[in-house]
Amino acid sequence: MSAVLEASGITRSFGPIEVLHGVDFRLVPGEIHALIGENGAGKSTMMKILGGYLAPSTGELRLDGSPVRFRDQRDAEDAGILMIHQEFNLAPQLTVEENIFLGRERRRGPFLDTRAMRAEARELLERLECRVDPQTRVHDLSVPNRQMVEIARALGRDARALIMDEPTAVLTGRETDILLKQIDRLKAQGTAILYTSHKLDEIARIADRVTVLRDGTQITTRPAKGFTEDAMAEAMVGRELSDLFPDKPRAGDEVVLEVRDVSVPGHVRDASFTLRRGEVLGFAGLVGAGRTELMEGIVGLRPITGSVTVNGSPLKPGSVGAARAAGLVYLTEDRKEKGLLLGKALAENLTLLALDRFAGLFIDKGAERKALKGAIDDFDIRVNDPAMLAGSLSGGNQQKLLLAKTMLAEPQIVIIDEPTRGIDIGTKQQIYDFIAALAEQGTSVIVVSSEMPEVIGLASRVVVMGRGHIAGELTGAGITEEAILRGAMGVGKMTGASA
């Protein structure tokens, strides 16, 4: 079948560095073409070229068989090529309905037809089973609901080709199922779909064709049928991936963190648990269960009632400084908005939590550069130029930078919220090894994750939360997906629960 959009011999350079090396790609009506690769492989650059956000350095784009050169994304959108971004492309101060129709507002004569836009926005959100009021401002929405608004905006247009960059990275399993059904519906209508995800089970589930990029080079393009998840992973990283999770470290007996009857108003009630030295403790549950809010309360980012004790000493509530002084730090789930300053250089981001070690009358820039070199080596942060901005790094390398920044504060207790969200399988393995190494060295780690295999593979003990409270605790062979789901959904007794 002829392609809606076709790329031939595409290269792209940023200054003297070429990041795409002669890539070919076809988007065919009624076909889902998956584009996969590690962070930094060139996927986002390729998608932005197809979507009109970037121009190729060399090579040719063809629209319906004829050469085309998009001047910008509006040019591509006018041709029916739409992109759903991994980084939200929403105006946070505007309402949901205003975002959905931004740039293509409905009018009745000289006036905006607000009623028609509201009704259509509600219908689009209902298709996604997203219970959001169209008049809500985007900055008041949760991260998953913002993603649903981004998707609704794209569904509201009659796209000939839809480019989807990690659309399920922040969605729950239920929300992912809903979205994948919508994608199947678009496919049946003849829409050409480019789909990228680090969740290889999704790729195996929906893709008709798969292209693998590695370091900007096209490794293979082949039918998805018979292309196993293991084979995809090995093609992405260029090596065999076995034993994704390291051995679980053995925790000591000493309790380093004790949380008693902690409530976070509106989110969590009467949560109690302990953490031992050198332990990896998992926190599982559905989105909205209160896991993140509990952790933010423990480290002083939210008001709480109840008590938190670190190494036997009470922790002053509501004080991030007090938590850090006690050796307790939190690595946020939202690296782009809360974890890093994307418009600042790598060194400035790295030293922010430990700035007192680099500051006298002036910031010691030489010491910062030395610390950055050490972090790049220790955490395998892949950079083209150490002077580059944090926002120019791939998602996986941003996460490594955030880890390096957190560890520069030399904490005794680390809470890591969604450690591998939006990260490729090779980088995941590096982060898992790093977490295990931390615990082996005596650092205590809490891992909050929506990915059950991650919690099961890393933690020697798992606390399950559901609807704002702790449903129970799992250990050893009792840590299973079924037991976690039972506790998270409040269905019967948690098999393997010890509390």
Side-chain angles (χ1 to χ4, degrees), residues 245-493:
F245 295 100
D247 292 337
K248 295 181 181 181
R250 185 179 179 85
D253 296 327
E254 180 188 359
V255 172
V256 295
L257 176 69
E258 186 172 12
V259 174
R260 282 285 168 260
D261 302 320
V262 165
S263 295
V264 181
H267 299 283
V268 180
R269 58 188 182 278
D270 300 327
S272 299
F273 67 92
T274 60
L275 175 69
R276 292 175 292 167
R277 186 169 302 284
E279 180 179 25
V280 178
L281 175 65
F283 262 75
L286 303 178
V287 171
R291 297 165 303 163
T292 292
E293 290 80 6
L294 174 59
M295 299 305 153
E296 288 179 343
I298 289 169
V299 299
L301 291 169
R302 289 178 181 267
I304 63 170
T305 59
S307 67
V308 178
T309 303
V310 177
N311 292 320
S313 299
L315 185 65
K316 179 183 176 182
S319 172
V320 175
R324 191 193 150 211
L328 170 61
V329 297
Y330 172 68
L331 195 149
T332 177
E333 64 174 338
D334 189 351
R335 61 179 173 264
K336 294 184 182 297
E337 288 194 13
K338 298 179 180 178
L340 298 172
L341 302 173
L342 299 184
K344 297 292 185 181
L346 306 185
E348 292 176 277
N349 275 278
L350 175 68
T351 60
L352 205 54
L353 270 181
L355 199 57
D356 53 327
R357 289 167 45 190
F358 299 88
L361 186 57
F362 301 101
I363 301 294
D364 188 339
K365 296 294 184 182
E368 275 195 330
R369 286 191 295 270
K370 183 178 179 182
L372 177 61
K373 184 180 183 306
I376 289 171
D377 292 341
D378 293 344
F379 291 84
D380 190 27
I381 305 171
R382 298 177 188 181
V383 302
N384 297 324
D385 179 356
M388 68 193 296
L389 302 181
S392 300
L393 292 174
S394 68
N397 285 308
Q398 286 180 359
Q399 188 72 355
K400 290 177 186 177
L401 177 62
L402 185 55
L403 276 165
K405 166 190 168 182
T406 303
M407 297 315 300
L408 198 61
E410 299 179 343
Q412 298 176 39
I413 303 167
V414 185
I415 301 172
I416 308 179
D417 201 343
E418 301 292 357
T420 64
R421 174 177 283 169
I423 288 175
D424 64 80
I425 193 164
T427 306
K428 279 187 176 185
Q429 189 176 45
Q430 288 182 304
I431 290 176
Y432 296 156
D433 288 343
F434 173 72
I435 289 172
L438 273 181
E440 288 286 0
Q441 295 163 12
T443 304
S444 304
V445 185
I446 295 176
V447 172
V448 180
S449 179
S450 300
E451 295 189 30
M452 283 193 281
E454 190 164 89
V455 172
I456 294 168
L458 286 173
S460 54
R461 196 161 51 100
V462 175
V463 174
V464 182
M465 292 191 68
R467 301 173 186 174
H469 74 279
I470 290 178
E473 179 185 295
L474 303 167
T475 58
I479 305 175
T480 65
E481 290 197 16
E482 180 187 359
I484 291 171
L485 279 173
R486 280 182 172 277
M489 299 176 70
V491 180
K493 188 178 185 300

Side-chain angles (χ1 to χ4, degrees), residues 50-366:
L50 293 170
Y53 291 83
L54 290 173
S57 298
T58 62
E60 182 179 69
L61 293 180
R62 291 189 291 275
L63 182 69
D64 296 321
S66 299
V68 66
R69 193 168 185 86
F70 298 131
R71 289 166 295 183
D72 53 28
Q73 72 270 24
R74 284 186 175 273
D75 218 7
E77 289 178 4
D78 289 342
I81 315 299
L82 272 72
M83 182 170 176
I84 297 175
H85 298 263
Q86 180 183 8
E87 325 301 343
F88 298 132
N89 199 26
L90 301 172
Q93 300 303 321
L94 300 182
T95 65
V96 168
E97 65 191 47
E98 288 168 341
N99 269 279
I100 288 175
F101 291 97
L102 191 61
R104 57 184 191 97
E105 291 79 4
R106 302 283 187 265
R107 292 186 177 276
R108 185 165 45 184
F111 302 104
L112 292 176
D113 192 345
T114 304
R115 181 176 296 177
M117 289 190 289
R118 187 163 301 156
E120 188 174 343
R122 187 170 279 114
E123 188 273 331
L124 289 168
L125 292 166
E126 284 175 357
R127 277 168 57 184
L128 295 168
E129 299 183 33
C130 179
R131 314 292 184 227
V132 166
D133 187 338
Q135 294 177 268
T136 305
R137 296 198 182 276
V138 165
H139 65 63
D140 291 327
L141 297 178
S142 66
V143 171
N145 280 334
R146 290 187 197 185
Q147 182 69 81
M148 286 302 198
V149 172
E150 186 86 68
I151 294 164
R153 182 166 64 173
L155 293 179
R157 299 187 171 191
D158 294 324
R160 300 183 62 211
L162 186 58
I163 300 168
M164 311 184 81
D165 186 3
E166 292 282 349
T168 65
V170 297
L171 301 184
T172 64
R174 173 184 167 277
E175 290 164 336
T176 295
D177 287 340
I178 293 166
L179 175 59
L180 296 186
K181 287 176 185 175
Q182 291 297 321
I183 291 172
D184 281 337
R185 177 173 168 270
L186 290 169
K187 172 186 171 181
Q189 292 173 351
T191 305
I193 297 169
L194 189 166
Y195 190 93
T196 184
S197 176
H198 291 308
K199 300 176 181 178
L200 299 183
D201 59 326
E202 288 179 9
I203 302 298
R205 175 176 168 184
I206 68 167
D208 299 300
R209 189 170 300 275
V210 180
T211 291
V212 181
L213 292 183
R214 189 194 310 149
D215 297 328
T217 298
Q218 188 170 353
I219 300 302
T220 186
T221 294
R222 54 159 291 172
K225 187 175 181 180
F227 199 10
T228 66
E229 292 176 41
D230 285 344
M232 289 182 207
E234 289 172 17
M236 286 166 54
V237 302
R239 65 183 187 277
E240 184 178 349
L241 275 176
S242 57
D243 299 325
L244 182 61
F245 295 100
D247 292 337
K248 295 181 181 181
R250 185 179 179 85
D253 296 327
E254 180 188 359
V255 172
V256 295
L257 176 69
E258 186 172 12
V259 174
R260 282 285 168 260
D261 302 320
V262 165
S263 295
V264 181
H267 299 283
V268 180
R269 58 188 182 278
D270 300 327
S272 299
F273 67 92
T274 60
L275 175 69
R276 292 175 292 167
R277 186 169 302 284
E279 180 179 25
V280 178
L281 175 65
F283 262 75
L286 303 178
V287 171
R291 297 165 303 163
T292 292
E293 290 80 6
L294 174 59
M295 299 305 153
E296 288 179 343
I298 289 169
V299 299
L301 291 169
R302 289 178 181 267
I304 63 170
T305 59
S307 67
V308 178
T309 303
V310 177
N311 292 320
S313 299
L315 185 65
K316 179 183 176 182
S319 172
V320 175
R324 191 193 150 211
L328 170 61
V329 297
Y330 172 68
L331 195 149
T332 177
E333 64 174 338
D334 189 351
R335 61 179 173 264
K336 294 184 182 297
E337 288 194 13
K338 298 179 180 178
L340 298 172
L341 302 173
L342 299 184
K344 297 292 185 181
L346 306 185
E348 292 176 277
N349 275 278
L350 175 68
T351 60
L352 205 54
L353 270 181
L355 199 57
D356 53 327
R357 289 167 45 190
F358 299 88
L361 186 57
F362 301 101
I363 301 294
D364 188 339
K365 296 294 184 182

